Amino acid sequence: MKRFTLIIMTAALLFAGCGSSGESTAGGQSAAEPTDFSYAPVTVTTGTTESAATDEVSLEDLAIDPPYSFNPDEMLPSDFGDYFKTQYNSVTSTYKLLAGDRYESEVTMIKSPVDGPSVYVIAGIHGDEEAAWQAGKLLKKISIKAGTLYIIAPANKYGAVSLSRLIDSKDPNRVWPGDKNGNGAEKVAASIFADVKEKSPDFVFDLHEARIISDDRDFLGSSLIYTTLDVFPDDLFMDIIDDAQNGIICNHKLNSYSPGPAGSVNRTITEKLGIPTFTVETFRGYQMEDRIHDQLDIVNWVLKFYGLE
Ligand SMILES: [Zn+2]
């Protein structure tokens, strides 16, 4: 059984990566980072995935969020990798959550005339995790061959503008299922949770990014987080970990962790709605194009599994 091969590192999640206690960041830099920056080489591939050259780089020494000089708004998902190239006659529309409110956000719905499963992508509930919501924005441009795809990107619109993980000084990934009469973070969480509950998708993505915590060196890296394997069909979770391990998808191998923290998207949707959910984390020390590539590769893998691609 594949699941017995899984190493579960529960304690690390309490402190690591994007699960860390909330510092209010602007621009994603912290004072404790090294001043002598080094950057990982770009390893984006468009065909057979190569083993990443970054294996030889000390990840702890990489600067967070290397600068980049391209505009994802002017690009397509297929500019980042060998996926999402086939055109299907699905229809794309949008609808609002919290319409007219200060915290209004927009969901993109891509619907195929062919019946099939539905997948819901919550991209960037932490606004400073840019590759997460950039990947989500790129996904709005795809077509699907069956079923329905919902995308909210950036899920934390205000945080994305200022590159802050927070809304009104609160972590929007620790207050789920939220409160429609609460603070900004709680209202945003409640609005997305209600929409996911109503749409009742077959699978939910929770796209994030991870960074090094300098003082204790807990390290999330590129990883997938789940709350319980019981909700996943077949060996979905372990199969995708294996494919990343074997270089079939993603430029970087994926760690796995469980469970999602209390009040998180992942844990709440899994436990309250019983929907297969995993959190994707790409490491912010890698180049932006590399991180977007891996986010899209993982989403593509799952969309293929469910027959949307
Ligand atoms: Zn996060």
Side-chain angles (χ1 to χ4, degrees):
M1 290 288 288
K2 284 176 179 171
R3 68 176 60 190
F4 292 129
T5 67
L6 190 61
I7 299 170
I8 299 172
M9 289 174 277
T10 327
L13 253 196
L14 298 175
F15 305 103
C18 90
S20 64
S21 58
E23 81 285 21
S24 181
T25 58
Q29 303 290 338
S30 87
E33 281 163 10
T35 51
D36 185 15
F37 288 159
S38 60
Y39 298 117
V42 175
T43 56
V44 168
T45 56
T46 54
T48 304
T49 303
E50 299 163 359
S51 65
T54 47
D55 287 349
E56 296 171 11
V57 177
S58 174
L59 298 179
E60 287 78 4
D61 293 334
L62 295 177
I64 295 299
D65 294 333
Y68 68 99
S69 57
F70 56 93
N71 183 0
D73 288 341
E74 297 172 352
M75 299 168 74
L76 295 171
S78 55
D79 292 326
F80 292 86
D82 188 22
Y83 35 45
F84 303 115
K85 290 182 173 171
T86 306
Q87 287 294 311
Y88 303 103
N89 59 346
S90 53
V91 176
T92 300
S93 60
T94 61
Y95 58 91
K96 304 287 189 190
L97 302 181
L98 297 173
D101 190 277
R102 177 173 174 230
Y103 300 101
E104 177 182 286
S105 59
E106 185 177 272
V107 180
T108 297
M109 179 174 72
I110 305 174
K111 190 169 182 54
S112 168
V114 180
D115 283 345
S118 58
V119 173
Y120 201 117
V121 179
I122 301 167
I125 193 77
H126 287 146
D128 58 328
E129 295 164 11
E130 186 174 351
W133 54 260
Q134 291 286 13
K137 286 177 70 177
L138 285 156
L139 285 168
K140 297 176 185 179
K141 301 174 184 178
I142 72 168
S143 58
I144 58 174
K145 69 177 177 185
T148 310
L149 177 64
Y150 302 93
I151 304 155
I152 180 166
N156 174 354
K157 188 169 65 175
Y158 294 89
V161 171
S162 58
L163 293 179
S164 166
R165 61 188 278 116
L166 308 177
I167 300 174
D168 290 353
S169 304
K170 302 289 186 197
D171 187 334
N173 197 36
R174 293 295 182 278
V175 296
W176 281 58
D179 178 352
K180 65 181 181 181
N181 299 313
N183 59 41
E186 291 167 332
K187 287 176 77 168
V188 168
S191 70
I192 302 172
F193 180 74
D195 196 48
V196 171
K197 186 176 180 181
E198 182 198 326
K199 301 302 187 301
S200 190
D202 295 277
F203 187 93
V204 173
F205 268 111
D206 171 36
L207 304 184
H208 286 252
E209 294 213 276
R211 54 178 295 161
I212 291 168
I213 305 304
S214 299
D215 48 358
D216 58 11
R217 287 302 203 193
D218 275 341
F219 179 67
L220 206 54
S222 293
S223 57
L224 298 183
I225 301 167
Y226 66 94
T227 292
T228 170
L229 292 177
D230 294 342
V231 295
F232 293 99
D234 306 328
D235 281 324
L236 184 157
F237 190 88
M238 289 315 304
D239 285 347
I240 194 167
I241 294 283
D242 281 354
D243 279 0
Q245 186 73 17
N246 295 325
I248 295 168
I249 64 160
C250 293
N251 289 315
H252 303 288
K253 293 173 182 173
L254 299 171
N255 300 310
S256 59
Y257 298 94
S258 179
S264 65
V265 171
N266 181 315
R267 181 124 160 220
T268 306
I269 290 177
T270 302
E271 292 184 345
K272 291 196 177 296
L273 304 179
I275 298 172
T277 303
F278 60 58
T279 301
V280 177
E281 302 270 4
T282 46
F283 175 47
R284 287 169 63 178
Y286 298 141
Q287 303 271 351
M288 180 61 71
E289 49 268 59
D290 219 3
R291 293 143 59 187
I292 292 174
H293 170 275
D294 281 8
Q295 294 265 352
L296 292 173
D297 223 5
I298 293 165
V299 173
N300 181 50
W301 193 102
V302 171
L303 296 188
K304 281 185 169 176
F305 178 91
Y306 282 98
L308 276 67
E309 277 295 311

